[in-house]
Amino acid sequence: MRPVIIAHRGACGHLPEHTLPAKALAYAMGADYLEQDLVATRDDELIVTHDIHLDRVTDVARRFPGRARPDGRYYARDFDLEEILTLAVHERVDGRGQQVFPQRQALGGRDFRVHSFARELELVDELRSSGGHEVGIYPEIKEPGWHRAEGVDLTRLVLDTLGQFGYVGHADPVYLQCFDEAELRRIRHELGCRLKLVQLIGEDDWSPLPTNFRGLRNKRGLEKLARTVDGIGPWVNQLYRLRKRDGRVSDSGLVARAHDQGLTVHPYTFRSDALPAGFDDIGELMRFSIEELAIDGLFTDFPDVAAQFLRQRTG
Ligand code: CA
């Protein structure tokens, strides 16, 4: 099977992340799935944006001064959808205002907006009917525990919206992803969701998430996961070991262990302008992951590069 191309936040190597233009471009470049990160607004609407904060990708601080929390951050949860729709989106910056990916074009302004989950699902329907090829969606439930503490059940909102657009069955073109293992168990076993589910796997020192990621990557952890989810989304660096002595990479065994449990493997994130240690170019990383490890798909900021690699391989 050809590995699937998942457009990470859209074709965000080319256009500002999670904007409709970035999603349409990803479709045109041949992405098989478009990713949506989902966060709730004050009026319990869903928006497509990567963080629970708005300040790294929009002009919220300039437009709504005084609306930050004591930590200085502007939370999507403190704004109504109507307010958020007026913001302009720009290329991602860090806490000092420096572009996170300095080689990318500093695009922004009024052509780039935040949009609702429903609006993106409409676009996906439009692309399918006008573009001539199928495309799936890959929504992520962001920080469900944080949202619950804020008084909103993010998961239920997401499942309701998916249901309204006809995404209900296991064979439907959707993978639902989350870093929170307990929430995925709830989705499958309490809420009875039949969609394909993906456990994202990070590193335990990244943030205070409730999931023990290290324990998920061994045989026992994967065996347990397979009772709930259909696949895993590991950090790409977890696929291999890097030998300090000569900088050579070797298989960590994670992909094979996951396959032994019947789990699909969709690692993140393949970026030609931010390569993991041990790789000199994106082609080498894709060749290793696809040819040697047999991954089932990949998250990438550059769906065009992945599509070209796969064309050359089959052609
Ligand atoms: Ca994501």
Side-chain angles (χ1 to χ4, degrees), residues 179 201-207 213-214 217 235 238 268:
F179 275 105
I201 302 179
E203 291 287 312
D204 290 317
D205 58 3
W206 282 356
S207 67
F213 292 122
R214 197 172 183 76
R217 285 153 54 193
W235 184 34
Q238 294 165 344
Y268 63 90

Side-chain angles (χ1 to χ4, degrees), residues 98-175:
Q98 302 296 311
Q99 212 167 288
V100 172
F101 298 99
Q103 291 167 35
R104 297 184 187 180
Q105 294 188 68
L107 293 168
R110 62 184 179 169
D111 291 336
F112 300 101
R113 299 283 185 184
V114 185
H115 56 271
S116 69
F117 186 32
R119 178 66 196 100
E120 182 155 340
L121 294 180
E122 283 167 16
L123 174 75
V124 169
D125 283 344
E126 290 158 15
L127 290 171
R128 273 196 198 112
S129 56
S130 66
H133 63 96
E134 176 57 51
V135 67
I137 57 167
Y138 216 118
E140 179 182 347
I141 298 175
K142 302 296 289 193
E143 305 199 39
W146 183 87
H147 277 93
R148 199 169 297 121
E150 291 284 320
V152 58
D153 187 343
L154 181 63
T155 293
R156 278 193 191 275
L157 295 179
V158 172
L159 293 179
D160 285 351
T161 305
L162 286 171
Q164 284 159 21
F165 281 81
Y167 298 99
V168 287
H170 194 256
D172 291 338
V174 50
Y175 285 91

Side-chain angles (χ1 to χ4, degrees), residues 8-9 18 35-37 50 140 142 177 179 200 299:
H8 181 247
R9 312 181 199 173
H18 282 318
E35 191 204 24
Q36 301 82 30
D37 290 313
H50 181 265
E140 179 182 347
K142 302 296 289 193
Q177 47 166 340
F179 275 105
L200 297 170
F299 286 88

